[in-house]
Every structure is written in structure tokens, then in C-alpha cells.
Amino acid sequence: RDGAGMQVFACQEATISDEFHENYLAVSLGEVMAFYALEQAPRSGLVVSFEGGSRCSNGQSRSLNITMLCDRSAGHGEPALYPGSEVEFEKCRYHLLWRSQFACPLCTEEDMQAIPGECSLTGKRPVNMAWNEPKVCHGGEPLPPVRLEDCVAVVLDKTKVAIIVLASSAVFLLLCLALIFLYVRNRKIYREYSVLKEQNEADMELERYTLDEEE
């Protein structure tokens, strides 16, 4: 009830035997119950608090806190001791741990995600709703059915595709022809350069031979 207290009862089995009924007496661990969200992770669970129980020998009223943790795999679950801890962690104050799917928040649209499909030629596409992973909710709103939404279908014109292919092929052919032309021209220039170089070397050799004879 939005954190407001409500009258309930939680009992503890006492060790004092009831001689008349041959069973055990019970003491109250609280008559007022309240709910509190976990401070650091509100969607991970809650604390169920029982206050105003029977008085202890020290005059303090007994109380019980049950920390309920969201665990979808636990089903209903059941209260258990904290690992390595006693149920009475302080004098007349008790605490328990309860893992349960019912400690999870109710499912809402915030726990869902839209997964769009492919756009059809009619300009429509399906949108499926799925739970966010990992799913940390229970009950609440179910997944809505598949819906259709408008979209823009990408349709390729065969004529335009053919034109693009032909244009690309023509550009590729021109590049190949340009490379062949450059290759042939460079080879021709290289041959002319080689002939001039050989002639120059021959002239220089002849000139050295003439000078040697004159000396």
C-alpha cells in the first residue's frame, strides 16, 4: 500500500513448553508490516518489515525484516537464513532472505524492445516485441501481438541498374586503355633513351681512342 503500514502477524516458536497443550508457545515478531524498495537497486527486490512484536527481556519489541530478491528461476521460493548468519542478528531483531519471482517488478513496456522486420514491397514491415535481456520482471503486461508499420521499400529499377553497370564497365575499359597507352609510350621512350645512351657511349669511346693516338 505505497509503503503504508498494515496489521499482520509473524510468529516465532519459543522454547518454553506449554504444559497444558504439550506444544510450544509462540511470540509475535511484529504486528505492523510495511514494504521498502532496496535503496541501491529498487528493481532487484524489496524489504518486508514487521514491527511492534512481543517485548523481549530487555524491553525492546521484536521485529523481523525479510529481504526479498528478484529471482525468476526460484519460483515462489521460501524464506531462508542469510549465508553464514544467524536469524537473530541483533537482540530481538531478526532477518531472513527470500528469493522469489514475485519479488521482481511487474512487467511494463519499459521491459520490452521492438524488433522490426524487413520492409516489403507494399511499404509495410512487421514489428515484433521481445523482452529485454536479461528479463528482470514478472507478470504485469504481456507481450503485445505483432504489428505492422509503414516503411520505405528500396526497389531497384532494372534499367537504372543496367545503365550503372554499363557506365562502370566503360570507365573500367577507359582506365585499362589509358594504362596500356602509357605503358606503350613509356616503352618507346625507354628504347629511344637506350639507343641515345649507346650512341653517346660509342662517341665517348671513339674520342678517347683518337686522343690516345695523337699522344
Side-chain angles (χ1 to χ4, degrees):
R1 299 193 309 175
D2 299 327
M6 56 188 300
Q7 293 292 326
V8 294
F9 296 91
C11 299
Q12 173 194 19
E13 189 177 83
T15 57
I16 304 175
S17 176
D18 183 353
E19 297 179 355
F20 297 98
H21 298 88
E22 297 182 356
N23 56 12
Y24 291 98
L25 297 176
V27 293
S28 173
L29 299 184
E31 298 180 355
V32 179
M33 183 174 67
F35 303 89
Y36 307 95
L38 296 179
E39 295 182 359
Q40 298 181 352
R43 289 180 60 84
S44 297
L46 69 157
V47 176
V48 182
S49 174
F50 296 87
E51 301 288 344
S54 301
R55 291 190 178 275
C56 289
S57 57
N58 60 0
Q60 181 181 354
S61 296
R62 288 178 169 83
S63 63
L64 169 65
N65 284 342
I66 302 178
T67 301
M68 300 193 67
L69 297 180
C70 173
D71 188 345
R72 296 181 60 249
S73 63
H76 290 78
E78 59 184 15
L81 296 177
Y82 273 87
S85 175
E86 298 291 337
V87 64
E88 188 175 4
F89 68 100
E90 291 182 9
K91 183 65 175 178
C92 298
R93 298 188 64 186
Y94 309 88
H95 65 173
L96 293 170
L97 182 65
W98 193 341
R99 296 182 179 274
S100 173
Q101 64 181 359
F102 297 107
C104 302
L106 294 176
C107 295
T108 64
E109 291 185 359
E110 296 180 356
D111 299 296
M112 308 174 191
Q113 59 177 323
I115 303 178
E118 295 183 358
C119 190
S120 65
L121 297 178
T122 59
K124 298 287 185 179
R125 66 178 176 185
V127 179
N128 293 275
M129 299 300 293
W131 298 114
N132 295 329
E133 292 294 341
K135 185 181 178 182
V136 291
C137 63
H138 175 73
E141 298 183 14
L143 290 175
V146 180
R147 73 174 190 273
L148 296 177
E149 68 177 10
D150 296 331
C151 62
V152 178
V154 179
V155 181
L156 296 178
D157 190 348
K158 293 183 179 180
T159 303
K160 293 182 179 179
V161 172
I163 294 174
I164 293 173
V165 172
L166 290 175
S168 301
S169 301
V171 172
F172 178 74
L173 181 61
L174 290 175
L175 288 175
C176 292
L177 293 175
L179 290 175
I180 294 173
F181 172 76
L182 291 175
Y183 174 75
V184 173
R185 189 185 68 173
N186 289 339
R187 281 187 60 84
K188 181 179 180 181
I189 293 174
Y190 178 75
R191 285 198 300 268
E192 293 176 354
Y193 169 77
S194 299
V195 171
L196 291 175
K197 182 179 180 182
E198 292 176 357
Q199 291 179 353
N200 186 37
E201 290 177 351
D203 293 341
M204 293 178 64
E205 185 67 23
L206 180 60
E207 184 177 352
R208 284 197 300 269
Y209 179 75
T210 304
L211 290 174
D212 291 339
E213 288 183 350
E214 290 178 354
E215 291 178 358

